[in-house]
Amino acid sequence: MLSKNEIKDIQSLKEKKVRDDVKLFVAEGPKIVREFIQAIPGSIEKIYATKEWLLQSATSQLLPVIEISERELQRITNLQTPNQVLAVVRQFHYALPDAATISIYLDTLQDPGNFGTIIRTADWFGIPQVVCSKGCADVYNSKVVQSTMASMARVHVSYDEGGDWLSRQKVAVYAATLDGRPLADHEKIRSGVILIGNESKGIRPELLQYAT
């Protein structure tokens, strides 16, 4: 049974300030939680699960798990339809990378669903890192986490707080713009940075200047 304090603590992780302070975030649903367990098992702080999930999950015996009812899950979920299990996960902290292979740079991308989809797509294509400018959505926002489908456990996401990361790279920079060359006209990208802009404003001129 969940205590009032536990419910309050989990609910508070909806707020970015709280997430930043305690270095935790929430992931929900059997598939997402299972993939976090498989990718980085040491990242799991605690799991809150219904009996149905516990009966199906062999790995649950090795992790800190609290059995809860459907009603209790309803009280702590971020989803409209709760799905068996919620995990409190430790945040991942990655240093800004060198763009030796392929990286994606996001310029003030703000929609959590778009952000999560890009991380998931990067994972699918084997792109190991995503760098975010200031003003991008928070990677630990619950909508981002759900949209990544746990790909954020494999793709390293970091934030360019100083705003100078792109200018320091010595690789090709490919900008996704409306007036660019069709993708079919490009050779396959094997190294470099793919620069993607804001949903409504595109790429800022100060970053677009680095496109090669």
Side-chain angles (χ1 to χ4, degrees):
M1 183 174 179
L2 285 175
S3 69
K4 289 183 179 179
N5 282 340
E6 279 183 301
I7 292 171
K8 183 179 177 182
D9 288 344
I10 296 166
Q11 289 176 338
S12 72
L13 293 175
K14 294 177 182 178
E15 303 296 327
K16 182 180 186 304
K17 184 180 185 306
V18 176
R19 291 195 299 269
D20 290 347
D21 286 344
V22 298
K23 309 302 183 194
L24 299 171
F25 68 98
V26 167
E28 298 190 58
K31 182 181 187 302
I32 293 177
V33 172
R34 182 177 66 251
E35 293 216 18
F36 273 122
I37 292 171
Q38 292 173 347
I40 314 179
S43 68
I44 304 297
E45 180 81 5
K46 194 169 286 188
I47 291 174
Y48 299 88
T50 62
K51 189 171 185 178
E52 181 182 4
W53 184 84
L54 291 170
L55 291 172
Q56 297 171 353
S57 177
T59 58
S60 64
Q61 300 173 7
L62 308 174
L63 296 164
V65 180
I66 294 178
E67 182 178 340
I68 60 174
S69 66
E70 292 280 357
R71 184 174 180 181
E72 287 175 314
L73 182 59
Q74 182 74 54
R75 295 187 67 183
I76 59 176
T77 185
N78 291 313
L79 305 176
Q80 287 188 342
T81 306
N83 195 0
Q84 295 186 5
V85 59
L86 177 151
V88 176
V89 187
R90 299 182 190 97
Q91 293 185 4
F92 318 119
H93 293 284
Y94 304 111
L96 283 168
D98 287 325
T101 54
I102 301 179
S103 303
I104 293 175
Y105 191 98
L106 302 180
D107 179 20
T108 59
L109 197 86
Q110 295 177 330
D111 182 271
N114 291 343
F115 190 7
T117 299
I118 287 172
I119 294 171
R120 190 171 75 245
T121 305
D123 185 24
W124 175 260
F125 283 101
I127 298 175
Q129 52 215 16
V130 173
V131 178
C132 306
S133 75
K134 271 188 165 183
C136 280
D138 177 22
V139 69
Y140 299 112
N141 176 297
S142 62
K143 291 182 180 179
V144 177
V145 175
Q146 295 306 120
S147 295
T148 70
M149 295 301 289
S151 286
M152 58 187 287
R154 292 177 290 272
V155 176
H156 293 191
V157 179
S158 52
Y159 284 79
D160 179 21
E161 296 294 346
D164 61 348
W165 182 84
L166 198 59
S167 67
R168 293 187 281 106
Q169 304 312 305
K170 307 299 183 185
V171 296
V173 176
Y174 301 86
T177 64
L178 290 175
D179 57 353
R181 286 165 51 203
L183 192 60
D185 291 352
H186 286 276
E187 293 183 2
K188 184 177 179 179
I189 299 172
R190 301 186 185 280
S191 65
V193 179
I194 300 171
L195 177 57
I196 299 174
N198 175 270
E199 291 88 344
S200 61
K201 298 178 182 177
I203 302 168
R204 288 173 293 164
E206 57 265 39
L207 294 182
L208 193 57
Q209 66 174 321
Y210 298 115
T212 59

